[in-house]
Amino acid sequence: MEQGYLTVIARTASGLYPVEGARISVYAADSDILLHELYTDEAGISPKLALDAPPRSNADSPDGGDPYAYYDLRVEKIGFYPISDLSLPIASGTTSLQRVEMIPQGSGTLPPEGLLKIEEGGRR
């Protein structure tokens, strides 16, 4: 397997403020297998995380297979509603910048069923 990269940027829902110390849990797609756990810094940015991805050559031909590996994310911070980001595509040799806008609890806006889910990549 080759590798692609992921950086998460956590901001408040208005986008004005970084969310420091947000816990990012990375799971194998469609499973409960935790692969990595990391935290955002004072700027709301996670360290760059290397993740397995299929060979880049898969994109060169129609029957080469899917050129993406898919991962699920969960972003949490006390005082904010948790965010679940499903089927995040990662391609070999590229860095995916995933922006997450977190809603403060008590802001008067309730997410459906207490958890925000973002469907990415058109897989589901």
Side-chain angles (χ1 to χ4, degrees):
M1 277 252 151
E2 297 179 9
Q3 293 195 317
Y5 303 91
L6 171 67
T7 299
V8 177
I9 303 165
R11 309 285 293 177
T12 57
S14 63
L16 295 177
Y17 302 104
V19 178
E20 179 181 2
R23 180 175 60 197
I24 301 155
S25 303
V26 180
Y27 297 88
D30 300 323
S31 83
D32 292 330
I33 300 171
L34 178 65
L35 302 174
H36 301 279
E37 187 173 274
L38 53 154
Y39 293 85
T40 56
D41 63 15
E42 63 280 348
I45 301 171
S46 74
K48 187 176 180 179
L49 177 64
L51 295 166
D52 287 340
R56 192 172 239 188
S57 61
N58 284 7
D60 294 339
S61 104
D63 20 338
D66 197 338
Y68 301 102
Y70 295 91
Y71 295 90
D72 294 343
L73 301 180
R74 183 171 171 96
V75 183
E76 302 170 286
K77 166 87 179 183
I78 292 175
F80 292 86
Y81 291 104
I83 305 273
S84 182
D85 194 348
L86 307 174
S87 297
L88 179 68
I90 300 293
S92 175
T94 64
T95 299
S96 173
L97 298 176
Q98 185 64 28
R99 186 180 178 95
V100 176
E101 294 188 359
M102 301 192 73
I103 298 173
Q105 292 178 348
S107 66
T109 306
L110 294 176
E113 301 174 19
L115 177 67
L116 295 180
K117 291 186 179 182
I118 303 168
E119 302 278 332
E120 290 280 340
R123 277 185 76 222
R124 296 182 189 196

